[in-house]
Amino acid sequence: MKARMLATHVALPVLAIAVSAQARAADFDWMKFKGKTVTFLANNNPVSQALLTYKADFEKLTGMTLKVDGYQEQQMRQRLVTVMNANSDEVDVFMTLPSREGEQFAAAGWYADLTTMAKNEVAKDYDPSGVSQALLKAATFNGKLTSMPMNLEGPIFYYRTDIFKKCGLDAPKTIKDVEAAAEKIKTCDGTVTPFVSRGLKPAVAYTFSNLLHNIGGTYIANGKSNLCSAKGKEALDTYSRLLRDFGPPGVVNYSFQQISALYRGGRAAMAFESSNELRTVMEGGARLKDTGLLPFPAGDAGQVPTTIGWGMAVSSHSKQPDAAWYFVQWATSPEVQKKMALQGIAPPRPSVANDPEYRKWIDEEPVRKEWQAALDVLATKGSSEVGYPIVANPQSREFIGQAVQDLILKQKPIDQACADADKALDALIALN
């Protein structure tokens, strides 16, 4: 499923929203809910960190108080499950990944339908038709708009240009080049980890899916899990071998925090991690001049990068969904998304991506130009398929991660690891 994330074509339903919104924008009052408190359940990642830099601006604009309930990603979802299962109104707005939990949360009835709000309560400068249509479509389930896009992201390839030069290496063009580079760096510079990517079980699918699709593999064929296909086994073997032979000790516990810290600290030569992590990786400036960025190098199927985005959703249990929508609208407005873009959060609005101030910021550093070039590839070639395209997508990611970990730790031969995963995944597929 291709996702053209920065497509400028305006689909008819969204155009209808825009026309209605323009008619009502003149009556919009940002102070309508002055005195209320909105609670935001946030994933403590670079997206929310950039957004919350401007928390005081929202409170000044609206007269509302923004209460932030922030956690790491897994803990955030655990907190959300607890709140939603209790039918509690403790959370008004929460961050969500439509590509991961969209179908599941929609089936559970956890999302408020934003369609009407996006028609009837829109500020003059909000421009709902300017948001990526592909991301809006990805956030729509059974005709209900469940969240508004916060960013555009996908895993990209970070590499140390100074180490590559020292070891006589060119930037890799293929997956085999990545393996060859890792092998050479292992002998050329013993002070660094040659390659690092996600090894934590629930986090693996984000990066593994990109490699699987580049190789030409699919998660499902003829209604059955397809990890034991030739391409599926090649992807499992390649991904796990890169981490087992060239990754850091304990890589099965690595997600974005550990990877970014390792690379930023100068202790990794190559890192396959989220485009969102540019801000974190460049923090302190040590990596600003010695880093190159690329979409993940091609396999037999070329480059099919993973492309997704975080969204902001209003809880179906919120007792003040209209006030909550004001926060969602402010956070996903062109003005705020431009400010976030200048912190390295890729904007889901084409108008922001083409803004002169943003383009100037991009042009100031070569590494930012490469970052934007990689994002352009994500936007035009990307797939939003991360894990299995089923309601039980989050559970499917656990089984993908388990198969990878079984191979990294040499706990199973590949035929057994993929067969065990396929058996469990077929059971999940059958439930849909």
Side-chain angles (χ1 to χ4, degrees):
M1 178 173 55
K2 293 290 181 65
R4 292 177 173 79
M5 297 300 185
L6 292 181
T8 54
H9 174 70
V10 179
L12 286 176
V14 180
L15 179 62
I17 289 174
V19 172
S20 176
Q22 287 170 5
R24 297 172 186 275
D27 300 326
F28 192 84
D29 177 13
W30 277 110
M31 282 289 179
K32 183 176 180 179
F33 299 106
K34 181 180 179 181
K36 288 186 176 291
T37 297
V38 170
T39 300
F40 174 38
L41 180 61
N43 173 16
N44 187 26
N45 66 5
V47 181
S48 70
Q49 290 168 2
L51 172 66
L52 293 173
T53 304
Y54 308 103
K55 173 176 179 285
D57 293 351
F58 170 74
E59 294 180 327
K60 182 179 180 181
L61 176 69
T62 63
M64 288 193 274
T65 298
L66 180 63
K67 179 181 177 183
V68 180
D69 201 9
Y71 301 87
Q72 297 302 323
E73 188 167 337
Q74 286 181 274
Q75 287 71 38
M76 179 200 74
R77 291 198 176 94
Q78 290 169 359
R79 167 71 173 149
L80 184 66
V81 168
T82 300
V83 169
M84 300 306 274
N85 283 335
N87 296 331
S88 170
D89 63 349
E90 291 180 29
V91 170
D92 295 304
V93 178
F94 60 91
M95 289 175 66
T96 184
L97 270 178
S99 59
R100 179 190 182 277
E101 62 251 7
E103 286 196 25
Q104 183 186 44
F105 286 8
W110 291 0
Y111 294 122
D113 185 1
L114 302 184
T115 308
T116 302
M117 298 180 200
K119 287 181 180 177
N120 297 336
E121 289 288 341
V122 180
K124 181 180 179 181
D125 298 330
Y126 184 64
D127 187 20
S129 66
V131 181
S132 162
Q133 304 302 290
L135 287 177
L136 287 175
K137 183 178 179 182
T140 301
F141 298 92
N142 297 321
K144 296 181 179 179
L145 178 60
T146 61
S147 65
M148 295 301 292
M150 301 178 74
N151 74 318
L152 169 78
E153 69 163 280
I156 58 176
F157 185 77
Y158 298 74
Y159 69 102
R160 288 280 298 279
T161 52
D162 57 334
I163 294 175
F164 269 58
K165 183 177 180 180
K166 170 184 168 184
C167 297
L169 292 165
D170 295 324
K173 296 179 179 177
T174 68
I175 295 171
K176 292 187 184 302
D177 290 344
V178 174
E179 291 191 80
E183 186 70 54
K184 190 159 187 180
I185 291 167
K186 191 173 183 177
T187 55
C188 171
D189 187 343
T191 66
V192 297
T193 295
F195 178 86
V196 62
S197 187
R198 297 187 180 194
L200 187 69
K201 192 162 59 174
V204 161
Y206 180 70
T207 40
F208 173 77
S209 296
N210 195 154
L211 188 139
L212 173 72
H213 293 141
N214 279 15
I215 285 175
T218 61
Y219 280 122
I220 297 177
N222 300 318
K224 296 287 187 181
S225 180
N226 202 33
L227 287 180
C228 278
S229 64
K231 294 293 186 183
K233 288 199 289 188
E234 181 182 344
L236 285 171
D237 183 52
T238 302
Y239 190 88
S240 60
R241 190 173 63 248
L242 279 167
L243 293 182
R244 184 179 60 243
D245 294 348
F246 306 112
V251 71
V252 293
N253 296 311
Y254 271 53
S255 188
F256 67 92
Q257 300 99 329
Q258 295 78 21
I259 294 167
S260 294
L262 190 77
Y263 186 84
R264 184 181 63 237
R267 291 175 287 133
M270 296 181 279
F272 185 32
E273 189 41 69
S274 174
S275 55
N276 272 348
E277 291 297 298
L278 179 74
R279 176 175 182 261
T280 305
V281 166
M282 295 300 153
E283 188 177 323
R287 300 281 73 81
L288 193 61
K289 304 297 184 185
D290 64 15
T291 292
L293 296 178
L294 297 167
F296 196 71
D300 290 345
Q303 285 181 307
V304 190
T306 294
T307 310
I308 60 172
W310 280 92
M312 297 191 75
V314 174
S315 166
S316 60
H317 298 311
S318 172
K319 291 183 177 177
Q320 47 182 6
D322 293 335
W325 162 247
Y326 269 44
F327 172 54
V328 172
Q329 185 177 174
W330 169 83
T332 59
S333 65
E335 180 183 358
V336 173
Q337 293 198 330
K338 176 181 171 181
K339 291 178 178 177
M340 293 170 66
L342 294 174
Q343 294 194 42
I345 303 300
R349 290 177 177 271
S351 63
V352 174
N354 294 319
D355 181 88
E357 187 177 355
Y358 175 71
R359 299 309 306 189
K360 180 182 177 184
W361 178 81
I362 289 292
D363 290 342
E364 285 174 350
E365 296 290 349
V367 70
R368 291 177 187 162
K369 290 183 180 179
E370 294 184 357
W371 179 70
Q372 183 61 55
L375 290 170
D376 290 343
V377 175
L378 266 60
T380 54
K381 295 185 175 181
S383 165
S384 59
E385 184 181 82
V386 181
Y388 284 65
I390 57 177
V391 172
N393 177 282
Q395 294 94 321
S396 79
R397 298 183 184 204
E398 294 279 342
F399 292 117
I400 297 166
Q402 184 63 59
V404 169
Q405 287 197 351
D406 287 341
L407 295 171
I408 293 173
L409 300 173
K410 292 187 174 181
Q411 292 179 333
K412 295 177 183 176
I414 190 164
D415 286 338
Q416 187 65 54
C418 73
D420 289 350
D422 276 346
K423 182 179 179 180
L425 288 156
D426 281 339
L428 284 184
I429 294 168
L431 294 175
N432 281 261

